[in-house]
Amino acid sequence: EALDWLATALPAARNEGGANGGIAALASGSPVGPAAVVVPESALRAVPPPKGATVDQPWAALEAVAPRSGKGRAVQTAALAAIGSALTAAGARWRALPAAEVSTVLLVREEDLPAAAVALARDGHAVGPPSRVCPPVPEEDKAAAEKNMQYVGAWSLLKREEPVGKTMEEHAAAEGPVRIQAPSGIFAEIRVPPNVDSFVGQESSAGYHAVVDASAGRRLSVRHRVVDFRPPTGCVLCTQVKFDREVMGELSHPRGRCRDEYIEAWTRLDGGPVAALELVSELAPGGIELPTGRRRAGFWLFCGDRFARVLGLARGEGLIAGSCCGSLAQLEALGGSKAVREELRGNYEASWGKIESPGTLRIGREAWSSEKGGRLLYDAATAAGGSISFIQHEVVHRLPSGAVQRWRIRDWGLDPFTPSAPKAALAGAASDDESSSCSSSASQAAKP
């Protein structure tokens, strides 16, 4: 009877979404054990299970790669044992499925996914796919500007302790890592190591910030890193925040769950206004679409006379963003340092700098560059860095290479790209008819 059910239900499941709708374990009798059959939940929706069958759902399939040396069944068995030990210690319910020698396919109860992913990543394993393991990116919040009000601006890291009490970094204001936070929730953080050739020290990231209500009336700061020079770990960056005038303290939360407890102190360099752009598409020279596995995400923020820009492979693309892992060093041990480093240098960009004047952006610090003076990222007068145009709430950047990037405008408190009118022109405009002048100004302000 079970075989007859499988023969009918599995073909019917294809019309119900296949395994995309979840996975269930099906057994004859109770409880569900090693002899259970794994089926997509769509099969259960298409054809009712046989009488007397026990259904356990929902489960999710993961692929895990364990650190190992050598080949063969003994190595594979040892890798599975290591994975099982980490999952059991985390209290996750799991089952192993037959898979290729290089990886292990697991079934994990959906409610145990976060704990399982973090446990495996911390234990040195790579886990995927990120779309299933990592928390989803939050939807746009219409109340974001109000919630983010205290966080908005350009910030400079003063000190980091990890664990609390052990100083790992200490900087003078404007000399350390830089973060720009926009009202919409968009943020970019530039962390470039002193040794520009260091790979494991590259920690720049960008994404979405949200303020969420916790127990006892507390509010937590949650950062979803969409672009990251490090592999995703399976958890979001969550902190308790305390403000003291222009200094912000961030303490990791929950304590010790996903990482060693740490605390950071940031000072505000500028309160705004702020503009924020999010990369929506990128074409290679000649208008060619980027190949599969090389699609990038990016964020470009401006605050006062400062900017920060981060680009990298989108979540699920390539080696670094394609699997969850505890650190870049662990990923190199699993995937090979040469491949990981080539991907970083070829696809990831991070820089911060100054808006010398509207239409002139000069880099102050850049990943992979030891240049101290800073090169021009964009200059409207000389066309250095390409050209900028505006199309329906988007900024279109045509690079000198011929590549084209389209950036969606998320915040527009200032226009960093359009040069100011010459003084003579301003003096002439002041003598024009007042109504005509007002109309022209409104047109310019509405340009994006």
Side-chain angles (χ1 to χ4, degrees):
E1 185 180 357
L3 291 177
D4 291 339
W5 180 84
L6 288 171
T8 304
L10 293 182
R14 297 191 187 98
N15 298 325
E16 296 289 336
N20 293 327
I23 297 174
L26 185 69
S28 177
S30 180
V32 172
V37 176
V38 178
V39 297
E41 289 186 1
S42 55
L44 299 174
R45 293 193 296 269
V47 181
K51 291 182 179 179
T54 300
V55 179
D56 189 15
Q57 64 189 88
W59 291 73
L62 300 179
E63 183 178 21
V65 179
R68 68 182 78 183
S69 59
K71 297 181 178 181
R73 181 165 298 279
V75 174
Q76 190 174 13
T77 301
L80 180 58
I83 290 172
S85 177
L87 291 174
T88 301
R93 291 159 291 181
W94 65 283
R95 297 284 186 274
L97 297 176
E101 188 175 294
V102 295
S103 63
T104 301
V105 176
L106 306 169
L107 289 183
V108 178
R109 285 297 294 263
E110 284 193 357
E111 58 263 40
D112 295 336
L113 270 179
V118 170
L120 289 172
R122 294 192 67 174
D123 209 42
H125 308 278
V127 190
S131 59
R132 188 168 298 152
V133 175
C134 298
V137 172
E139 295 181 359
E140 292 184 26
D141 185 358
K142 293 182 179 179
E146 180 182 353
K147 295 177 181 178
N148 285 308
M149 188 179 303
Q150 286 185 289
Y151 300 83
V152 170
W155 299 82
S156 172
L157 180 67
L158 297 176
K159 188 175 183 180
R160 178 183 175 94
E161 297 180 0
E162 185 180 3
V164 175
K166 182 180 179 180
T167 300
M168 301 298 292
E169 294 182 64
E170 198 161 8
H171 310 276
E175 295 296 325
V178 171
R179 177 195 295 164
I180 296 182
Q181 175 68 60
S184 63
I186 299 295
F187 78 93
E189 194 169 300
I190 312 300
R191 293 178 181 254
V192 179
N195 178 7
V196 296
D197 293 324
S198 169
F199 285 86
V200 295
Q202 301 286 348
E203 297 181 347
S204 298
S205 63
Y208 308 107
H209 174 259
V211 180
V212 299
D213 294 321
S215 58
R218 292 181 303 167
R219 282 191 159 189
L220 298 177
S221 166
V222 180
R223 296 191 181 276
H224 297 262
R225 292 171 292 191
V226 177
V227 183
D228 201 336
F229 276 56
R230 300 156 293 180
T233 61
C235 60
V236 295
L237 189 62
C238 186
T239 58
Q240 299 178 57
V241 179
K242 182 178 180 180
F243 292 92
D244 183 4
R245 296 186 179 180
E246 296 303 294
V247 174
M248 174 176 63
E250 296 184 327
L251 175 65
S252 58
H253 180 89
R255 184 173 182 176
R257 180 181 175 187
C258 301
R259 63 191 73 80
D260 290 334
E261 187 179 33
Y262 73 89
I263 189 170
E264 291 183 340
W266 296 77
T267 184
R268 190 176 349 234
L269 302 174
D270 200 314
V274 176
L277 309 176
E278 181 177 2
L279 186 67
V280 293
S281 73
E282 186 175 23
L283 296 176
I288 302 172
E289 292 189 5
L290 296 176
T292 302
R294 289 294 175 266
R295 183 177 58 87
R296 297 203 298 177
F299 298 87
W300 198 354
L301 286 86
F302 307 84
C303 179
D305 65 348
R306 292 175 168 83
F307 71 84
R309 187 172 182 267
V310 180
L311 293 95
L313 294 182
R315 183 66 52 84
E317 305 274 320
L319 291 172
I320 298 162
S323 59
C324 296
C325 192
S327 68
L328 202 59
Q330 287 182 358
L331 187 62
E332 287 187 349
L334 292 166
S337 59
K338 184 175 185 295
V340 171
R341 295 182 179 193
E342 286 180 351
E343 183 175 279
L344 265 179
R345 274 194 175 272
N347 297 279
Y348 288 76
E349 305 174 32
S351 62
W352 65 261
K354 288 292 191 76
I355 306 172
E356 293 186 344
S357 62
T360 304
L361 313 179
R362 187 175 297 276
I363 292 174
R365 192 74 193 276
E366 184 177 19
W368 322 120
S369 175
S370 58
E371 189 175 344
K372 298 295 183 181
R375 65 178 178 87
L376 278 173
L377 177 63
Y378 174 70
D379 183 57
T382 64
S387 65
I388 295 286
S389 59
F390 299 88
I391 301 176
Q392 296 181 342
H393 304 288
E394 290 183 354
V395 171
V396 180
H397 187 190
R398 290 175 171 82
L399 283 72
S401 65
V404 179
Q405 296 173 345
R406 289 175 47 233
W407 300 81
R408 176 191 171 196
I409 297 174
R410 296 293 302 273
D411 299 86
W412 198 247
L414 74 158
D415 180 355
F417 301 115
T418 305
S420 300
K423 291 184 178 180
L426 290 175
S431 64
D432 289 343
D433 179 77
E434 183 177 355
S435 61
S436 174
S437 177
C438 292
S439 174
S440 176
S441 298
S443 175
Q444 288 293 324
K447 180 190 303 181

